[in-house]
Amino acid sequence: MFNSKKSLLATSLLVIAGSANAGYEIKLSDQDTITFGGYIQGDIRYIDGNAASTLTNDDFWIGHVVKDDISNVRFHADSTRINTKYVHGDVTGFIEFDLFGGGGNEKLTNSRHPRLRHAFIKYKNWTVGQTWSTFVNTSAIAEAADFGGPLVASAFIRQDQVRYTNGNFQVAIENPESYGGYVGAGGYGSKDSVPDVIGKYTFKGDWGNVSVAAVAKQLETAMGESESALGYGIAGRIKTVGKDDLRFQFHGGNTGRYVGAAAATDLVGEEVEESTAILVSYRHFWTEDLRSNFFYGNQETDESDRDRTHWGINIFKQINPKLSYGLEVGNFEAKDLTADSDYAQFSVKYVL
C-alpha cells in the first residue's frame, strides 16, 4: 500500500503555470491533493527624504508615517512567502506565511520571524478563518515592487471571518476592532461585541470585473460610547488594449482601518472618522515579456485632517514563466506632516 502511494506521488507531481498562485501539486488520491506554492523575492530599496515608515522598518509604504530625516539603503528578502493548500473533495484548507513578522538584526544573521497571512477553510459556499476581508477586491491592487503598491488608498486588510458566497454575491461577519477608540487592559477594541458586517457584489465578464462593497461597524469610542459607522467602495480591473489593464479603487464614508493601511483610524476620540480614498493604476505590456505600471493613490480624512499620497512607476522583465526582475521609482507624501520621501527599489522574484 505504501509503495503504491509513493509511486502515485512520484508520478503526479505537477508544476502549475501562473504567477502568485503557482505551485507544485501532489495528487494523493482521486479526492485528495496537496499544493505547495509561494515565491522567493530579494529587494534592494533606497529612500531619501523626511517621511519614514517606521512600523514597516521602511521596507514598504503604509498610511502611517512619521516626519523624520531619512537616507538609507536596505537589502532584504522579507517579501518571500510560502503557502500550502489541502483539498479533500469539497473541502479546501489554505495556509500562507511571509517573513514580515519582525525579529532578527542586520549585524549577524538577519533572521526573520514568519508572519501568518492566511489560514482558512472553504466548504462549498462557506469560508471560515483568516483571509482577505470580503471588502477587498484583490484584482484591483496595483502591481508594484513596493510591497502592495499604494496601500495608502487601497482596501487592504486580512482578518478572521465567516463568509457566505452565492455566485457573484458575498456576505460576511468579520472580526471587529475599534481602531482609535476604547483602550482597556486588553488593548484597544477590547469592548467590541458586534461583528463587522460586509456585503459585496462583483460584476464579471470578458472585459474584467467591478465590485461594489459596503461595511457596517459598531464602534466603541474612547469614552466607552457606542457609534455606528458605514463605509463603501467600488473597485475593479478593466481590460483595455492587448494585455493592458486599468485598475481602480474608490472608497468613502467610515471605512477606517479597512482602507489605507493605517492612513485612517475608525475613531478620533469620540468622533467617527470619515475619509475619501482614490487609487488608479495602469499596466502596459511593451512586449510579451516586458511590462510597466504607473500608479497613484491618495487618501484624505476629515476628523484627523490627514492627506497621504503615494505614486510610482516601474518596469518588469519576465525572463521565463517563473523568474522576473524589475525597477521602481516613486514618492510618498504626507502633506499634513509637510513630509515626503523619494524611493527606488530593485526586485528579483522567483515564483515556486
Side-chain angles (χ1 to χ4, degrees):
M1 182 68 176
F2 175 78
N3 289 335
S4 64
K5 283 191 174 182
K6 186 175 180 180
S7 176
L8 180 61
L9 287 174
T11 58
S12 62
L13 185 62
L14 304 175
V15 177
I16 302 175
S19 55
N21 294 321
Y24 298 89
E25 182 180 281
I26 302 173
K27 189 171 179 61
L28 302 175
S29 68
D30 290 339
Q31 281 196 312
D32 298 274
T33 60
I34 298 178
T35 304
F36 300 95
Y39 59 76
I40 301 167
Q41 181 169 321
D43 293 291
I44 304 174
R45 181 175 173 89
Y46 175 73
I47 302 175
D48 183 72
N50 64 343
S53 186
T54 54
L55 292 182
T56 67
N57 199 33
D58 295 307
D59 288 340
F60 57 95
W61 297 113
I62 60 173
H64 179 277
V65 295
V66 297
K67 186 174 183 178
D68 186 27
D69 288 338
I70 182 172
S71 181
N72 68 19
V73 63
R74 186 168 130 73
F75 293 61
H76 73 87
D78 299 345
S79 298
T80 297
R81 68 183 60 165
I82 189 166
N83 57 58
T84 307
K85 181 173 70 173
Y86 309 87
V87 178
H88 174 74
D90 293 334
V91 183
T92 298
F94 184 84
I95 188 166
E96 181 175 72
F97 296 89
D98 66 16
L99 299 177
F100 280 115
N105 59 73
E106 297 182 34
K107 299 179 181 68
L108 290 176
T109 61
N110 279 280
S111 304
R112 305 298 291 178
H113 298 163
R115 177 185 70 157
L116 181 66
R117 289 172 53 86
H118 300 274
F120 64 86
I121 301 165
K122 291 185 69 175
Y123 177 67
K124 295 185 178 179
N125 296 55
W126 294 92
T127 301
V128 179
Q130 177 172 307
T131 188
W132 290 110
S133 169
T134 309
F135 195 69
V136 177
N137 182 338
T138 55
S139 73
I141 297 174
E143 181 184 33
D146 180 277
F147 186 73
L151 298 183
V152 66
S154 295
F156 193 91
I157 182 170
R158 293 183 297 269
Q159 61 188 2
D160 288 273
Q161 62 194 267
V162 178
R163 179 195 300 169
Y164 176 77
T165 302
N166 187 354
N168 293 348
F169 175 72
Q170 294 180 316
V171 63
I173 53 172
E174 303 194 6
N175 186 65
E177 191 70 56
S178 295
Y179 182 26
Y182 177 81
V183 178
Y188 59 80
S190 59
K191 281 191 174 181
D192 290 322
S193 58
V194 179
D196 292 353
V197 180
I198 299 171
K200 181 171 71 178
Y201 189 88
T202 304
F203 301 90
K204 300 178 181 179
D206 295 338
W207 47 269
N209 76 85
V210 175
S211 63
V212 179
V215 53
K217 299 174 284 183
Q218 196 69 31
L219 305 173
E220 298 299 321
T221 72
M223 299 299 293
E225 300 296 326
S226 183
E227 295 286 347
S228 297
L230 179 66
Y232 58 88
I234 179 171
R237 180 193 295 186
I238 307 296
K239 297 179 181 179
T240 57
V241 179
K243 296 175 64 177
D244 293 8
D245 64 65
L246 173 69
R247 308 176 193 197
F248 66 92
Q249 299 186 40
F250 174 79
H251 296 93
N254 313 127
T255 52
R257 66 190 179 90
Y258 280 81
V259 178
T265 56
D266 292 308
L267 292 156
V268 180
E270 296 302 291
E271 301 298 324
V272 178
E273 182 69 279
E274 187 162 345
S275 61
T276 302
I278 184 170
L279 178 152
V280 61
S281 173
Y282 192 84
R283 180 170 66 168
H284 174 65
F285 281 80
W286 303 101
T287 65
E288 284 295 314
D289 57 7
L290 191 68
R291 65 191 184 275
S292 289
N293 298 265
F294 171 77
F295 58 79
Y296 170 89
N298 172 264
Q299 180 165 183
E300 296 183 15
T301 64
D302 288 349
E303 297 299 328
S304 57
D305 292 322
R306 292 179 178 176
D307 188 343
R308 308 289 163 85
T309 300
H310 180 190
W311 67 264
I313 186 168
N314 56 49
I315 186 165
F316 292 105
K317 171 69 173 179
Q318 199 73 41
I319 299 175
N320 58 47
K322 289 184 170 293
L323 182 63
S324 64
Y325 65 89
L327 176 67
E328 179 172 302
V329 295
N331 175 271
F332 187 99
E333 180 183 16
K335 191 174 182 179
D336 53 294
L337 299 176
T338 320
D340 80 295
S341 288
D342 298 318
Y343 75 98
Q345 183 164 333
F346 177 74
S347 298
V348 179
K349 178 188 287 187
Y350 175 68
V351 178
L352 302 179

